[in-house]
Amino acid sequence: MHCTNFTTLMIKRILLSVSLFMSLVAHAQNGTPSIYSFYGIGEVTFRGSVENRSMGGVAVFTDSIHINLQNPASYGGLKFTSFSVAATNNKTRFQTNTINDEAGRTSIDYLAFAIPVTKKFGAGIGLMPFTSVGYKIQTSASETNPANRRYSGSGGLNRVFFSLAYNFSENLSFGTDFQYNFGEIETSTLATIPGVQLGTRELSLSALSGFTVNTGLMYQRKVGKKNRLYTSLTYSPSTSLKLDNSRFIATVLITANAETVDSETEVNVADSRLKMPQRFTFGAGFGEERHWLIGTEIALTSNNGFANRFSDIQNVDYENGAKISLGGYYIPKYNAFSGYFNRVTYRVGARFERTGLVVNNKDIEDRAVTFGFGLPLRGTFSNINLGCEIGKRGTTAAGLVQERYTNISISLSLNDRWFVKRKYD
């Protein structure tokens, strides 16, 4: 058994990326500036791989070189050992009826590794931030409210997964993700009165942990001489996370250069369990393999029983959510010997989502258009994927905030054949 020089280089890059990713997770990177990450356990930032995200989130087909993170059945279609890492730069503009503001973040999206074990089995492992908290809000004193208040939050929920897939036949595959969730969320409120040097700070902490599962099916069949019909199903049952909660009330001395805790008292708050919603997706697509595809996907989320970390958060409810995605790709000629842009993958899509979050009796909706490119690396099966997502979340009605955002994503997908027995030494 031999590994190529490229394989050795790939292993080194995997180890380096794992170390970087674990370092970022340990320091609780903030992957969102969204005001709405205040609620629940933060904003769900994971929307799949850059390749699928560039098509509005459509992930209905298997691919021999790209890791499909949304349906574990896809690992059965891999022909190459694959490693992928991605990052996103976010720019968000906030708008209310009276003010405008801007914020931005850069974060690592995921790190994943997958391997075709046999012709029947495929497996994968990975790590990703699943939700993120990253808001900062400041309000000024008024006639009805004499205090200035500053609200901030950080942290989120991370997910480690191990996936197995089995091919029942050339057309049908089944897979399961076994997921362990962990993370910490910290939220803080600082209240000060103009002219008074002492302020009051409330600090709330939650350590989250728990297991979840995601199962998937993929089926494809040939239609005519060249085209294929693709279908995809996934189901995540409702499970619960354990929350170890704590809260501290402190008196803070405020000077021109610093804020110093003068005294701090721990307040007894109960630990809790948070019910994670069940989720069902169905998708279908049609196209010619390695040439073009158009597909659509519907995701339904049951938020019954979902809640905030603490029971004293008001004016928020949760209802069932739904997302509709539409997208596809086009490759002029994947095996062209000349003309680099003939081998580029062009992707486009759109999505509309009712998040299930209701604030001040207003549904929080999220919609976006997406596009991207898959750029092959010469002499290899690897590629660089670029994606752009331009969207809008929320509303200015009922005293709420509308967020207009742009996400620029990049992923590196390294692919090679491992454990190939050479005929000649």
Side-chain angles (χ1 to χ4, degrees):
M1 300 291 183
H2 299 274
C3 290
T4 64
N5 291 333
F6 178 77
T7 300
T8 303
L9 178 61
M10 184 174 175
I11 294 174
K12 291 180 179 179
R13 288 176 176 174
I14 290 173
L15 294 175
L16 177 62
S17 299
V18 169
S19 300
L20 174 62
F21 199 99
M22 290 301 294
S23 175
L24 288 170
V25 168
H27 287 83
Q29 64 162 352
N30 293 330
T32 179
S34 174
I35 304 298
Y36 297 105
S37 67
F38 171 80
Y39 300 100
I41 54 174
E43 179 194 358
V44 177
T45 53
F46 173 69
R47 294 197 178 99
S49 68
V50 172
E51 300 93 302
N52 299 128
R53 192 171 177 175
S54 299
M55 298 185 291
V58 172
V60 299
F61 63 97
T62 59
D63 192 315
S64 63
I65 64 173
H66 292 106
I67 299 176
N68 180 339
L69 297 171
Q70 293 163 261
N71 191 330
S74 64
Y75 291 96
L78 288 172
K79 299 297 187 293
F80 295 85
T81 298
S82 301
F83 169 75
S84 186
V85 61
T88 292
N89 176 259
N90 166 275
K91 297 293 184 184
T92 301
R93 183 174 183 83
F94 306 96
Q95 181 180 353
T96 69
N97 289 326
T98 56
I99 61 173
N100 295 290
D101 203 356
E102 294 182 351
R105 296 285 191 277
T106 298
S107 60
I108 302 294
D109 291 339
Y110 56 83
L111 180 150
F113 173 76
I115 185 169
V117 181
T118 67
K119 290 183 178 180
K120 291 286 188 179
F121 279 99
I125 58 173
L127 175 64
M128 66 184 70
F130 186 69
T131 73
S132 184
V133 178
Y135 63 87
K136 290 183 179 180
I137 311 169
Q138 186 164 331
T139 62
S140 301
S142 63
E143 292 182 1
T144 57
N145 185 1
N148 297 316
R149 296 183 185 274
R150 190 175 66 204
Y151 305 88
S152 62
S154 62
L157 186 69
N158 305 299
R159 175 170 287 176
V160 177
F161 66 88
F162 173 68
S163 305
L164 285 174
Y166 178 76
N167 291 332
F168 291 101
S169 67
E170 186 178 319
N171 297 326
L172 179 65
S173 59
F174 170 81
T176 301
D177 278 333
F178 302 95
Q179 305 161 343
Y180 176 68
N181 303 275
F182 66 97
E184 186 173 279
I185 297 175
E186 176 181 310
T187 56
S188 173
T189 302
L190 177 64
T192 61
I193 297 176
V196 178
Q197 202 169 19
L198 292 176
T200 302
R201 187 193 68 186
E202 178 184 274
L203 179 66
S204 299
L205 302 172
S206 294
L208 304 88
S209 60
F211 291 92
T212 51
V213 176
N214 181 38
T215 58
L217 277 171
M218 287 188 135
Y219 175 77
Q220 59 175 296
R221 61 174 298 175
K222 200 167 185 179
V223 179
K225 293 183 178 181
K226 294 184 177 181
N227 297 328
R228 285 184 176 271
L229 174 68
Y230 301 88
T231 57
S232 170
L233 285 170
T234 67
Y235 175 67
S236 299
S238 177
T239 55
S240 63
L241 299 179
K242 179 184 177 183
L243 277 68
D244 295 325
N245 300 320
S246 57
R247 178 174 288 173
F248 302 88
I249 303 295
T251 301
V252 180
L253 178 64
I254 300 172
T255 63
N257 299 319
E259 298 173 358
T260 306
V261 174
D262 186 56
S263 63
E264 187 173 62
T265 303
E266 184 172 1
V267 178
N268 289 328
V269 291
D271 294 337
S272 58
R273 300 194 72 88
L274 188 63
K275 185 178 179 181
M276 294 290 285
Q278 67 175 353
R279 181 179 172 87
F280 172 82
T281 71
F282 170 75
F286 184 80
E288 182 181 341
E289 189 176 16
R290 291 178 290 188
H291 187 32
W292 65 273
L293 176 132
I294 184 168
T296 186
E297 193 166 271
I298 298 174
L300 303 174
T301 305
S302 177
N303 288 316
N304 295 331
F306 191 67
N308 296 297
R309 295 181 300 128
F310 298 97
S311 60
D312 54 359
I313 298 177
Q314 306 296 320
N315 301 324
V316 59
D317 293 297
Y318 296 93
E319 62 182 18
N320 293 339
K323 181 176 74 171
I324 300 175
S325 302
L326 177 67
Y329 72 81
Y330 175 71
I331 306 173
K333 190 176 182 181
Y334 81 95
N335 58 355
F337 289 104
S338 61
Y340 176 80
F341 291 101
N342 286 327
R343 301 193 302 275
V344 170
T345 304
Y346 302 89
R347 304 182 176 104
V348 67
R351 61 176 175 81
F352 172 79
E353 181 176 5
R354 293 187 64 180
T355 63
L357 175 64
V358 182
V359 184
N360 293 345
N361 296 318
K362 292 291 182 181
D363 293 330
I364 303 304
E365 298 177 347
D366 190 350
R367 64 194 73 193
V369 293
T370 63
F371 60 91
F373 308 93
L375 307 176
L377 300 179
R378 294 183 186 275
T380 72
F381 294 104
S382 303
N383 52 76
I384 295 173
N385 297 284
L386 303 175
C388 180
E389 186 177 42
I390 302 172
K392 182 175 68 173
R393 180 190 303 110
T395 175
T396 57
L400 299 179
V401 179
Q402 185 179 87
E403 302 173 349
R404 295 181 179 271
Y405 58 85
T406 300
N407 295 318
I408 304 295
S409 302
I410 181 171
S411 75
L412 176 63
S413 180
L414 299 174
N415 308 283
D416 193 22
R417 291 188 184 274
W418 285 16
F419 314 119
V420 177
K421 187 175 182 179
R422 295 186 180 182
K423 294 183 178 180
Y424 305 100
D425 288 324

